[in-house]
């Protein structure tokens, strides 16, 4: 966005559409096979939930108290730490295994993705309402989701190529 600041809004919208497509794709893949996501041993869910929760709590705690990070940056670090590329993990699982093994292997990133979909929006909602983000806490939820609240002119000068 430093080279093309006018395209920032378009990139924001494309990123949102890509995220929605990933969720839809994950739900489509998870509904197939003989072993649905909701039919696993409870220990599987706990084992997949723990890294997601520890990443969220640990990274937020460490980054919030880091003297070089403002609270919106701490929230961003937390999201980046907790949000793992489930699309990449899913692609690897689907290409590395066949048959029932493929279904079982793809369950891990899909279940992790479900936990991300629950934990991260909840964390972001509380962070926004606590005043820890760039979006004003008294703004409507729709505007917070639809508009770009990143500060402007904070990038260093980029040399033209």
């Amino acid at each position: 966005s430093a080279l093309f600041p006018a395209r920032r809004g378009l990139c924001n919208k494309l990123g949102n559409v890509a995220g929605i497509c990933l969720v839809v794709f994950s739900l489509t893949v998870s509904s197939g096979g003989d072993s649905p996501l909701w039919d696993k041993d409870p220990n599987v869910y706990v084992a997949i939930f723990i890294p997601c929760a520890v990443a969220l709590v640990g990274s937020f705690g460490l980054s919030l108290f880091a003297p070089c990070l403002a609270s919106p940056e701490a929230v961003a670090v937390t999201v980046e730490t907790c949000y793992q590329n489930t699309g990449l993990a899913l692609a690897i699982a689907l290409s590395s295994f066949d048959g029932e093994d493929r279904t079982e292997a793809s369950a891990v990133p899909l279940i992790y993705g479900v936990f991300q979909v629950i934990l991260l929006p909840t964390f972001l909602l509380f962070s926004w309402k606590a005043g820890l983000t760039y979006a004003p806490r008294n703004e409507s939820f729709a505007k917070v989701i639809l508009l770009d609240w990143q500060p402007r002119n904070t990038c260093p000068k980029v040399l033209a190529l």
Side-chain angles (χ1 to χ4, degrees), residues 36-37 39-51 104 107-108 111-112 115:
L37 290 180
D39 195 27
K40 306 286 182 216
D41 183 272
N43 291 330
V44 171
Y45 301 110
V46 171
I48 296 171
F49 175 78
I50 287 173
E104 292 297 320
V108 174
I111 294 169
Y112 190 93
F115 289 136

Side-chain angles (χ1 to χ4, degrees), residues 69-160:
L69 295 176
S71 59
E73 295 166 332
V75 170
V77 166
T78 302
V79 170
E80 290 298 326
T81 302
C82 184
Y83 186 80
Q84 299 301 310
N85 193 336
T86 55
L88 178 61
L90 184 59
I92 292 169
L94 292 173
S95 65
S96 299
F97 298 96
D98 292 319
E100 189 62 29
D101 289 340
R102 176 182 288 171
T103 304
E104 292 297 320
S106 66
V108 174
L110 290 172
I111 294 169
Y112 190 93
V114 169
F115 289 136
Q116 285 180 156
V117 167
I118 295 167
L119 287 176
L120 285 175
T122 303
F123 168 74
L124 289 170
L125 181 67
F126 283 113
S127 297
W128 164 53
K129 284 301 187 179
L132 300 174
T133 66
Y134 289 124
R137 69 171 116 182
N138 58 350
E139 193 63 70
S140 74
F141 181 74
K143 282 188 178 180
V144 168
I145 294 297
L146 295 174
L147 298 178
D148 180 9
W149 298 98
Q150 294 297 310
R152 301 287 185 239
N153 299 325
T154 59
C155 295
K157 296 276 185 198
V158 177
L159 298 174

